């Protein structure tokens, strides 16, 4: 599959400011099925935010999303500063490992 080009950092500010993805707290007041459904919705939203309308995404798309989208970043690698992926070897390696783990699980991540 051919990888679509990453969107430039000059995208409109409205598209870069997306709400944070938040799962409900796991406590006795939440039914496990409700929690799993919420987690499933969160995973689908993260996928959609990375793929940007496509049915698959590649490593370039993933790295671009980790840099541009705080919600994706916080869900995949909480507390990681991905703004300098090109120069921060430790963060680059962490993002690369996260991508590799996702790519092993499905054919929709290439």
């Amino acid at each position: 599959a051919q990888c679509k080009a990453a969107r430039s950092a000059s995208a409109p500010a409205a598209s870069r400011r997306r709400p944070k993805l938040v799962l409900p707290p796991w406590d006795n007041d939440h039914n496990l099925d409700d929690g799993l459904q919420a987690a499933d919705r969160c995973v689908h939203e993260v996928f959609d935010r990375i793929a940007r309308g496509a049915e698959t995404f590649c490593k370039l798309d993933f790295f671009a999303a980790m840099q541009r989208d705080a919600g994706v970043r916080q869900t995949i690698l909480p507390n990681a500063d991905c703004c300098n992926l090109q120069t921060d070897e430790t963060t680059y390696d962490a993002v690369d490992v996260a991508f590799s783990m996702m790519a092993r699980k499905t054919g929709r991540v290439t």
Side-chain angles (χ1 to χ4, degrees):
Q2 198 175 46
C3 180
K4 66 182 180 198
R7 305 284 195 292
S8 71
S10 63
S15 69
R16 290 191 308 250
R17 290 189 204 128
R18 300 198 61 184
K20 193 180 200 181
L21 301 170
V22 179
L23 289 175
W26 298 98
D27 60 28
N28 293 334
D29 295 335
H30 286 88
N31 181 318
L32 180 58
D33 289 337
D34 292 342
L36 292 175
Q37 289 174 1
D40 191 46
R41 282 191 305 273
C42 182
V43 168
H44 282 281
E45 184 174 341
V46 168
F47 182 93
D48 291 342
R49 288 165 74 162
I50 296 168
R52 294 181 131 187
E55 292 193 21
T56 63
F57 66 84
C58 66
K59 193 174 202 176
L60 181 61
D61 297 322
F62 182 70
F63 273 69
M66 290 294 285
Q67 288 182 297
R68 82 170 174 270
D69 192 318
V72 170
R73 228 179 2 258
Q74 195 63 20
T75 303
I76 304 292
L77 290 173
N79 303 318
D81 179 10
C82 296
C83 294
N84 299 313
L85 277 177
Q86 304 301 326
T87 57
D88 182 354
E89 186 176 339
T90 303
T91 304
Y92 181 94
D93 290 343
V95 172
D96 189 47
V97 167
F99 176 81
S100 296
M101 290 173 63
M102 290 171 32
R104 282 190 284 165
K105 302 288 182 186
T106 179
R108 295 180 67 192
V109 179
T110 59

